[in-house]
Amino acid sequence: MPIQVEVWGDYACFTRPEMKTERVSYDVMTPSAARGLLESIYWHPGLRWVIDRIHVCSPIRFTNIRRNEVKDIISANKVKAVMNGGVGELYLATPESIQQRAAMVLRDVHYVIDAHFEMTSAAAPGDNHGKFQDIIKRRLERGQCYSMPYLGTREFTAHFRRCAALPPCPDELKGTKDLGWILWDMDYRDPENITPIFFRAELVNGVMTVPPPDSGEVRR
């Protein structure tokens, strides 16, 4: 059962994993970012979101900004030690850990996400496609969400609504554009070895088609 969700915002950053220090965004929204955005609108253990296509409805524009980021992380070993009765501080002091980093981000972004959902083994006996479809449509029409959707990073808030009609493709995106290798999603099947999955993306008249995971286009 297909769902079309229109999303837009002032800024977006879908970070390239090969950039180690400074953030650099992909040209377009990644399938994993689209999945996370839809899950913030409606998540249920009985369904799994599958991204089919991403329509780019505005010209691709980059800008450079400087962002305050926290450079430290809380050690998992420290958390375990405190849970077992040890002594430690389970917080980060922002004034001590903050640092400024440059970022190349997208501006004035506008997308339409084509997606569908599949039932999972965690679905209850009373769950079905029609029930979930109705809930999702109501949430989109009312602007409801479990957490505020964002465009790559939490400070870049996403506006969303149910797509009634596809916006026209920008003139400069007409034709075919090779986007290179893009993150498809993360493989969480083995919690001890979470691995990234990539695919060779192409923008055809403003539309990026996302291959299914069992296709030969997806590489681990």
Side-chain angles (χ1 to χ4, degrees):
M1 291 187 175
I3 298 286
Q4 282 193 326
V5 181
E6 189 173 357
V7 299
W8 67 97
D10 296 331
Y11 297 100
C13 184
F14 309 109
T15 306
R16 290 181 174 271
E18 66 267 26
M19 304 300 181
K20 299 298 184 182
T21 304
E22 312 297 346
R23 290 183 183 269
V24 178
S25 177
Y26 283 114
D27 290 12
V28 301
M29 171 185 274
T30 62
S32 60
R35 174 186 55 78
L37 191 149
L38 295 181
E39 287 179 346
S40 69
I41 297 171
Y42 185 66
W43 178 87
H44 189 283
L47 69 82
R48 176 176 57 251
W49 285 105
V50 179
I51 308 302
D52 299 313
R53 284 169 296 278
I54 295 175
H55 302 257
V56 183
C57 305
S58 63
I60 298 172
R61 298 282 186 267
F62 285 93
T63 189
N64 290 301
I65 62 173
R66 297 194 70 83
R67 306 163 66 245
N68 291 328
E69 296 188 5
V70 174
K71 63 181 179 180
D72 301 318
I73 61 173
I74 297 175
S75 167
N77 291 331
K78 181 185 291 186
V79 174
K80 291 179 181 178
V82 173
M83 291 175 63
N84 293 327
V87 178
E89 297 175 340
L90 298 182
Y91 67 89
L92 294 176
T94 303
E96 299 172 5
S97 301
I98 201 168
Q99 65 179 6
Q100 280 200 337
R101 288 184 177 177
M104 182 177 288
V105 303
L106 296 163
R107 61 180 176 87
D108 301 323
V109 297
H110 186 187
Y111 305 107
V112 172
I113 302 169
D114 272 354
H116 69 277
F117 60 85
E118 298 174 348
M119 305 291 289
T120 71
S121 58
D127 293 335
N128 57 71
H129 286 87
K131 170 186 172 181
F132 286 147
Q133 187 90 349
D134 290 341
I135 294 173
I136 294 164
K137 287 180 179 179
R138 284 199 304 270
R139 296 184 69 83
L140 289 172
E141 290 165 358
R142 296 172 181 175
Q144 294 176 312
C145 55
Y146 290 128
S147 60
M148 193 63 203
Y150 56 88
L151 296 160
T153 58
R154 291 189 181 275
E155 63 265 42
F156 297 153
T157 301
H159 305 280
F160 68 93
R161 65 188 172 201
R162 186 180 174 191
C163 182
L166 278 173
C169 173
D171 290 339
E172 65 185 69
L173 297 183
K174 291 179 179 177
T176 301
K177 179 180 180 181
D178 184 6
L179 299 174
W181 291 96
I182 284 184
L183 180 68
W184 186 87
D185 212 323
M186 305 296 291
D187 186 350
Y188 295 99
R189 289 177 297 179
D190 181 2
E192 301 297 325
N193 184 30
I194 299 172
T195 56
I197 308 172
F198 297 88
F199 74 105
R200 189 64 180 258
E202 201 174 54
L203 201 63
V204 180
N205 293 326
V207 181
M208 181 177 72
T209 300
V210 181
D214 55 353
S215 72
E217 300 176 61
V218 176
R219 306 289 179 85
R220 288 171 170 79

